[in-house]
Amino acid sequence: MWPMRAERQSGFSLLEVLVAFVLLSTVVTVLLQVFAGGLRNLKVADEYAMAVVLAESRIAEVGRVVPLEPGDTEVEWKDFRWQTSIREFELPESPTQGIAAPALFSVSVTVSWGEGRSARSFRLDTLRAGLAAEGGA
C-alpha cells in the first residue's frame, strides 16, 4: 500500500482571485474619481484665469477706449458676461480744498459665467483719475 500523503497544490483559489479582483476594481474606481476631480478643478482654474484676463483688459480700456464717465455697461462674450461700473469717488475733506485736482472714479468690473449651481464670478476694483464733469461746483 502506498503511504497517504497530503499533496499541496500550488496556485490561487477562486475566492482569492475574486477578492483580488474586487480590491483592484475598488482602487481603479478611486483613481478614476481622483483623476476626474482633478480635471474638473483644472477647468475651473482655467475659467478663473480667463475671467481675470477679461477683467484686467476691461479695466485697462477704461479711460482709453471706454470713456471715463459714470455709468454701467454690460458685455457678453462666449460663455462670459462682464459688467463695468464707473462711479465718481468722493474723497474725504482735505486741507487742500480749493486746489484743482483730477477727479477720481471708482471702476468695478465683475465677470460672471456658468448658470445655476455652477455659476461663478470674479470682481476687480480700482480707482482711475480723470477730468471732473463740466458744470460741477
Side-chain angles (χ1 to χ4, degrees):
M1 296 232 155
W2 296 46
M4 297 217 122
R5 292 192 327 204
E7 291 187 23
R8 180 134 173 104
Q9 293 183 356
S10 61
F12 298 103
S13 70
L14 180 60
L15 181 60
E16 290 170 329
V17 170
L18 288 175
V19 168
F21 181 71
V22 167
L23 288 175
L24 180 65
S25 64
T26 302
V27 168
V28 167
T29 302
V30 169
L31 288 176
L32 286 175
Q33 288 177 348
V34 167
F35 184 69
L39 288 177
R40 278 190 302 272
N41 290 340
L42 185 62
K43 181 179 184 254
V44 169
D46 186 47
E47 289 171 344
Y48 270 104
M50 178 59 86
V52 169
V53 168
L54 289 173
E56 287 178 341
S57 68
R58 188 62 176 181
I59 289 273
E61 289 177 345
V62 172
R64 293 178 179 90
V65 177
V66 176
L68 194 54
E69 298 171 347
D72 296 329
T73 58
E74 291 188 33
V75 178
E76 192 165 330
W77 178 73
K78 293 189 179 182
D79 295 332
F80 293 91
R81 297 167 303 283
W82 63 91
Q83 178 184 15
T84 305
S85 178
I86 302 173
R87 302 280 181 261
E88 287 189 39
F89 185 78
E90 297 294 327
L91 289 173
E93 291 189 28
S94 69
T96 59
Q97 282 186 337
I99 298 175
L104 285 179
F105 294 89
S106 170
V107 180
S108 175
V109 176
T110 303
V111 179
S112 57
W113 66 97
E115 293 183 13
R117 295 182 72 189
S118 65
R120 300 186 189 284
S121 66
F122 173 78
R123 181 175 167 169
L124 193 58
D125 297 307
T126 190
L127 290 176
R128 287 288 162 111
L131 300 174
E134 294 293 324

